[in-house]
Amino acid sequence: MRIEKHPILEFQKGAKIKFLFDGRELEGYAGEPVAAALHAAGVRVLSHSHSHNRPRGFWCAIGHCSSCNMRVNGVPNIRVCIEPLAEGMVVETQKGRGRLDV
Amino acid sequence: MQKTADAVIIGGGVHGCAIAYHLARKGWQNIVLLEKNYLASGATGRSAAGIRHQFGTEINILLSAANVRRMEKLAEELDYPEGIELLQKGYLMLAYSAAQLEQFKVNTLLQKKLDPANTTVILDRTEIKEIVPGLNLEGVAGASYNPRDGHANPFHVTQAFARAARRLGVQIHTRTEVSGIEKTANRISGILTYRGDRISTPIVVCAAGAYGKQLGEMVGVDIPVYPERHQILVTEPLEMFLWCMVISLTHGTYFKQTPHGSILMGVGDPDHEVKDFNEQSSWQFLQDVARKITFHMPALQNAKVVRQWAGLYDITPDAQGIVGETEVDGFYLDLGWSGHGFQLAPVIGQIMAEIISGEKPLIDVECLSLRRFTENRLIPEPYCV
Amino acid sequence: MYKTEILVVGGGPAGLAAALAAAEQGAEVTLADRNSDLGGQLVKQTHMFFGSKGQYASERGISIAKILKEKAAATGKIRILTGATVTGYYEDKKVTIEAGDKFFPVEPQRVIFATGAQENTLIFPGCDLPGIYGAGAVQTLMNLHGVKPGNRVAMVGAGNIGVIVSYQLLQAGVEVAAIIEAAPRIGGYYVHAAKVRRLGVPILTSHTVIKAHGNHCLEKITIAELDEKRQVMAGSERDLEVDVLCVSVGLSPLAELLFQAGCRMGYVPELGGFVPFRDDCLETSVAGIYVAGDAAGIGEASAAMVQGRIAGLAAAASLGYGKDTFLEKVTEAGRELTGLHGGPTGEKIRTGLAKLTLLAKEAV
């Protein structure tokens, strides 16, 4: 799902890295938003609504709407549309409102 | 608006609405409630809404014991299908010294003496850890804990009373501020509003919190109550992990998780908080409370703050409420609860209705009368944040 | 305490222009933006801008962002804080910033809010399915990060963003099934609309989406035709198989900080929602607080930059900077703004501004 050739834009990408999504190893580019890497890998369901558990994807892509909240490296409710991807990152779909490890 | 009433209640907080309901339940026909803003817009809606048995004075122990029982059945009693979000998973009061823990033990014995059904227990550090995993036990000597304590949603409790009161014929007028109270000789005769209404009434009940002082002045009654800003910080909603309210009297801190999932946290800071009617939030509070609560619960460093708010405690010289009649006939008070008023509303509402109806109240509250200040009978409540 | 003469909140076209104008007059400026880079939504605008040379016409948004950033750096008078979210404006006139692990108050003498806007949502059954995205969000995903939103897209809304993003989707190699517009006519600029039509994309005016279908993600939408009262015409329903639905039904100003600061606000639908009352120099009802860009009312980036310039000049002048050139510069900027708001395309904004002026008068 990556754009290979664009008439105007050239995409400068960081290093190709690996990260974990719900236990699955995926590839992405360092520094791009986690949501972009997931989307490029065909992952579109990022969270679920709190009351009815309906699947949700991203909506705004600018860190404003919280529709893309996921668990990243053990911290719940990370807005993955603006969270930069890093090597070895552990990204998980969270249950409901997100679990805080105490 | 009607021109006459049998009684007018000032204040649409949880106390005012509870009084209105109880009066109407007794058969009072023509009750009016005036609220200058909207229901629960003042201290009620801004409170952390704790409900507990654990107090240090006899009167509060008696009132709270009767009250928790009312709260448990309140939604049913008031036919309020939404529920009041009562979560009874305990209050954990942390002791930070052997002497403080000793005092908790003494208070627990007093609670059991006055209320044989009381379930307060003293916990050691291991037991505390089981109830609140993740709590920082640094400096903790033990705790006092009652599993039947808890918290509710103050908006729902207020609406439940208001709706039940309306069903019984009470007229509730919001956005209606009182501009004057009239008395003839030494007797209440009427009330005026900034909307230009005048209601002829022999009884005015003041349940206006810290605003009660100015209302008292309208009829020449000196009420020693003043406002003190308290603030609350709120996090994003998270899955439930903190079931009880945690309090440290030593740090002046408390925090809880609402059924919605947000963590509410506060800190009592009488030295720095403004003592006027300012309800603005401050960034200093945000920094202070975040620092203090993450000391108690380090994992909260990963919880995101979403908002904060402020509200007014109605503080009296002994941090106890003022209940009952005054030197002006027909002018009654229910205010000055100094931060623990929300939870006592159901039982105080009933007692106020009984007093106004000339009946013997469920619990004798003479010790909370306005007279106590001039007669030097203060009863300081130690369990306050 | 972090002190600054002028704090600009938001580093999009309005904020960058404001910071630049104030700094060029000699004021010391802090520019805070919650994103990792400045430029706001310019950084994903691959199309060329209209307007005159002063407003960077014939440049693409991405280039304008670059030019403004370079100019800002060149002044040497702007401290830039990126990844810095302004979280509040408090009663003691302090502004709080969260940046990474830090949270700190800032004491500014003047504040210019250039907080921008957010995309509106559209409510219909299934509207929360993954695959239904804001058009701006899709633009970000595609033009900034080089990821396609899907294979076959339907666009709701034939305003400027709707038609421009449709064209950009085609550029990225994504099929656009249709542009669906509830109004009886196309709202966007004619040149953009004509371009997508030439490439075979139908623009269905007087149409709306009534339902989205899909198991976990969007698979299909049902659209229908609307009558002159904007009611669904029975029997006109039909399905479109798409895996992405872009929603481009307008923007709302991000006004939270303005509300919190106590600025008096008016609700003006033509400007996108609640916007602050302000004078010709964009100073709000709270002395020392200015507004610019979409936060002042939804408009074009070109106008946002001119507004930013006006607010920046005025804030600087109020602190004694550039007083001798202020009148001349602000008059010129005012003329440019009037020009940008002129003509038939500016009608909505002109109506909105007139309404706002009236509301402000009534509120006094």
Side-chain angles (χ1 to χ4, degrees):
Chain A
M1 295 289 260
R2 301 234 178 227
I3 301 168
E4 300 306 331
K5 256 185 69 184
H6 196 281
I8 298 164
L9 297 164
E10 273 179 48
F11 302 104
Q12 268 134 33
K13 289 289 176 192
K16 204 167 216 180
I17 52 131
K18 291 187 189 338
F19 68 103
L20 279 180
F21 163 68
D22 284 347
R24 225 164 92 201
E25 194 176 81
L26 296 179
E27 274 186 347
Y29 294 99
E32 71 177 346
V34 172
L38 287 172
H39 210 282
V43 178
R44 304 216 280 174
V45 179
L46 305 178
S47 69
H48 293 85
S49 69
H50 297 175
S51 304
H52 300 287
N53 202 36
R54 293 169 64 87
R56 292 276 162 85
F58 70 86
W59 162 258
C60 75
I62 54 170
H64 201 76
C65 76
S66 78
S67 181
C68 66
N69 280 355
M70 297 182 85
R71 194 175 166 83
V72 176
N73 291 338
V75 180
N77 296 325
I78 298 295
R79 297 166 294 175
V80 295
C81 72
I82 53 164
E83 184 68 17
L85 187 68
E87 172 77 47
M89 214 171 220
V90 180
V91 179
E92 295 165 275
T93 314
Q94 66 183 32
K95 294 270 177 293
R97 302 172 292 202
R99 187 184 84 244
L100 191 72
D101 285 337
V102 293
Chain B
M1 197 180 287
Q2 56 272 67
K3 300 267 185 260
T4 62
D6 293 336
V8 175
I9 298 155
I10 310 173
V14 68
H15 277 255
C17 293
I19 296 166
Y21 164 73
H22 283 98
L23 279 174
R25 206 177 64 170
K26 284 196 173 300
W28 287 63
Q29 294 291 324
N30 194 2
I31 306 293
V32 174
L33 186 147
L34 303 177
E35 161 56 45
K36 69 171 177 170
N37 212 331
Y38 55 90
L39 297 182
S41 58
T44 295
R46 294 156 194 266
S47 80
I51 293 165
R52 55 173 156 135
H53 293 84
Q54 299 179 77
F55 278 99
T57 53
E58 286 197 27
I59 185 64
N60 282 343
I61 291 169
L62 288 170
L63 290 171
S64 65
N67 201 70
V68 175
R69 272 158 226 154
R70 278 293 295 285
M71 285 283 191
E72 286 169 350
K73 298 195 174 76
L74 197 66
E76 201 185 332
E77 178 194 329
L78 300 176
D79 190 16
Y80 190 74
E82 293 90 335
I84 60 165
E85 292 180 16
L86 176 66
L87 187 68
Q88 278 179 294
K89 297 280 183 183
Y91 247 71
L92 186 75
M93 307 195 81
L94 298 168
Y96 280 87
S97 69
Q100 198 178 18
L101 189 60
E102 209 42 52
Q103 188 57 51
F104 284 2
K105 285 178 184 164
V106 172
N107 292 339
T108 303
L109 289 176
L110 182 64
Q111 288 164 25
K112 288 188 192 307
K113 193 183 112 194
L114 295 167
D115 170 27
N118 180 284
T119 49
T120 306
V121 288
I122 298 295
L123 303 182
D124 64 22
R125 290 162 57 98
T126 315
E127 292 165 321
I128 294 171
K129 199 90 192 172
E130 277 167 23
I131 288 169
V132 185
L135 191 73
N136 177 15
L137 291 181
E138 187 186 330
V140 173
S144 157
Y145 175 72
N146 188 319
R148 275 178 75 188
D149 292 347
H151 46 83
N153 182 322
F155 293 97
H156 277 310
V157 177
T158 308
Q159 288 298 335
F161 274 120
R163 212 187 280 169
R166 280 197 188 103
R167 278 199 301 265
L168 294 171
V170 172
Q171 294 292 313
I172 295 177
H173 300 285
T174 56
R175 312 272 179 204
T176 308
E177 188 174 354
V178 170
S179 59
I181 306 171
E182 295 176 347
K183 62 175 179 177
T184 310
N186 195 42
R187 192 157 185 78
I188 293 293
S189 54
I191 195 161
L192 305 164
T193 77
Y194 279 108
R195 291 188 165 203
D197 311 293
R198 182 188 180 278
I199 306 172
S200 189
T201 179
I203 290 170
V204 166
V205 187
C206 182
Y211 298 94
K213 189 168 181 66
Q214 289 96 306
L215 292 161
E217 282 163 6
M218 292 176 182
V219 285
V221 174
D222 180 31
I223 307 170
V225 63
Y226 64 88
E228 182 177 283
R229 179 174 71 177
H230 282 244
Q231 304 189 51
I232 283 179
L233 190 69
V234 187
T235 73
E236 64 192 351
L238 295 154
E239 289 298 304
M240 288 303 289
F241 68 95
L242 176 66
W243 295 93
C244 70
M245 174 89 85
V246 182
I247 289 196
S248 163
L249 298 172
T250 306
H251 301 86
T253 45
Y254 67 85
F255 57 105
K256 72 161 192 184
Q257 188 172 18
T258 67
H260 167 66
S262 294
I263 313 293
L264 262 61
M265 53 188 90
V267 49
D269 186 12
D271 293 340
H272 296 102
E273 275 302 7
V274 292
K275 296 188 173 42
D276 57 24
F277 292 97
N278 181 346
E279 287 179 330
Q280 299 287 308
S281 298
S282 77
W283 55 270
Q284 291 91 337
F285 165 78
L286 190 159
Q287 278 188 324
D288 186 40
V289 75
R291 209 171 274 139
K292 284 176 174 157
I293 301 300
T294 52
F295 164 78
H296 292 306
M297 185 68 109
L300 286 174
Q301 285 171 12
N302 284 330
K304 289 166 250 342
V305 170
V306 294
R307 61 200 167 106
Q308 60 184 126
W309 73 68
L312 304 176
Y313 276 20
D314 44 351
I315 306 272
T316 63
D318 55 3
Q320 295 274 27
I322 306 171
V323 175
E325 58 178 27
T326 62
E327 63 262 33
V328 173
D329 289 341
F331 189 59
Y332 294 88
L333 303 179
D334 170 13
L335 44 69
W337 290 99
S338 308
H340 56 276
F342 161 73
Q343 59 194 303
L344 298 179
V347 76
I348 291 294
Q350 180 183 338
I351 289 168
M352 285 297 293
E354 287 161 347
I355 292 173
I356 295 164
S357 305
E359 299 167 12
K360 183 175 179 296
L362 173 76
I363 293 165
D364 182 7
V365 289
E366 206 287 319
C367 64
L368 296 176
S369 71
L370 181 63
R371 280 191 297 277
R372 77 176 186 273
F373 301 106
T374 46
E375 294 169 3
N376 211 11
R377 289 190 278 123
L378 300 190
I379 38 169
E381 171 56 58
Y383 278 21
C384 282
V385 171
Chain C
M1 178 87 64
Y2 184 118
K3 291 185 182 184
T4 188
E5 288 184 332
I6 298 173
L7 173 67
V8 180
V9 183
L16 271 166
L20 201 54
E24 281 172 355
Q25 296 294 84
E28 176 270 311
V29 179
T30 297
L31 176 58
D33 192 288
R34 66 180 175 184
N35 297 295
S36 55
D37 196 8
L38 296 178
Q41 305 312 308
L42 284 175
V43 297
K44 61 194 188 191
Q45 311 295 342
T46 51
H47 62 284
M48 289 179 190
F49 277 46
F50 300 136
S52 67
K53 195 123 179 56
Q55 298 122 30
Y56 307 97
S58 303
E59 291 279 1
R60 299 182 196 279
I62 42 175
S63 320
I64 299 171
K66 212 166 145 235
I67 296 167
L68 287 174
K69 279 189 277 185
E70 280 163 8
K71 279 190 171 178
T75 62
K77 300 216 53 128
I78 305 174
R79 281 187 284 179
I80 292 165
L81 307 176
T82 50
T85 306
V86 170
T87 61
Y89 182 96
Y90 287 87
E91 54 176 338
D92 57 359
K93 300 188 190 304
K94 305 290 191 295
V95 174
T96 50
I97 291 181
E98 183 204 31
D101 291 339
K102 292 189 178 59
F103 175 83
F104 57 95
V106 175
E107 188 182 325
Q109 291 178 44
R110 300 288 183 271
V111 184
I112 300 171
F113 285 115
T115 44
Q118 66 181 350
E119 291 191 86
N120 293 340
T121 54
L122 193 64
I123 307 300
F124 53 87
C127 67
D128 59 342
L129 272 173
I132 302 179
Y133 305 137
V138 162
Q139 214 180 14
T140 304
L141 188 71
M142 206 163 58
N143 295 350
L144 207 54
H145 307 303
V147 174
K148 292 183 193 179
N151 295 315
R152 191 160 193 262
V153 176
M155 172 72 65
V156 188
N160 273 334
I161 297 177
V163 290
I164 289 171
V165 174
S166 294
Y167 182 68
Q168 293 173 355
L169 280 160
L170 297 168
Q171 282 183 316
V174 180
E175 189 188 346
V176 181
I179 300 176
I180 300 145
E181 169 61 54
R185 59 185 186 86
I186 298 165
Y189 284 123
Y190 173 74
V191 276
H192 294 304
K195 242 185 339 193
V196 290
R197 263 197 173 143
R198 270 202 305 278
L199 291 165
V201 178
I203 301 181
L204 308 172
T205 52
S206 295
H207 273 73
T208 193
V209 181
I210 55 174
K211 196 168 180 183
H213 314 261
N215 216 346
H216 297 288
C217 294
L218 182 68
E219 291 162 17
K220 191 170 75 175
I221 57 169
T222 304
I223 63 170
E225 200 171 345
L226 300 172
D227 63 20
E228 59 276 13
K229 285 178 183 156
R230 291 218 180 176
Q231 298 302 306
V232 170
M233 286 165 68
S236 70
E237 298 89 351
R238 64 187 164 108
D239 290 347
L240 274 184
E241 282 191 22
V242 291
D243 58 353
V244 174
L245 181 69
C246 279
V247 179
S248 170
V249 292
L251 301 164
S252 296
L254 289 177
E256 295 92 337
L257 288 164
L258 291 155
F259 270 112
Q260 202 195 4
C263 299
R264 303 194 67 174
M265 311 285 286
Y267 185 81
V268 182
E270 289 84 353
L271 299 178
F274 279 102
V275 288
F277 300 154
R278 67 290 185 114
D279 64 14
D280 288 345
C281 286
L282 294 155
E283 188 171 12
T284 67
S285 64
V286 177
I289 295 185
Y290 299 78
V291 67
D294 277 352
I298 304 303
E300 295 277 310
S302 321
M305 285 185 276
V306 181
Q307 284 181 330
R309 215 160 84 215
I310 294 171
L313 289 168
S318 73
L319 293 169
Y321 292 105
K323 286 206 135 160
D324 46 337
T325 56
F326 170 69
L327 199 61
E328 185 195 333
K329 285 185 172 183
V330 87
T331 310
E332 167 56 25
R335 244 197 314 268
E336 282 179 40
L337 196 58
T338 310
L340 286 167
H341 289 165
T345 52
E347 195 191 327
K348 194 169 157 192
I349 290 173
R350 289 198 305 274
T351 311
L353 291 173
K355 275 193 189 176
L356 185 66
T357 308
L358 206 65
L359 282 176
K361 268 187 195 146
E362 284 169 3
V364 171

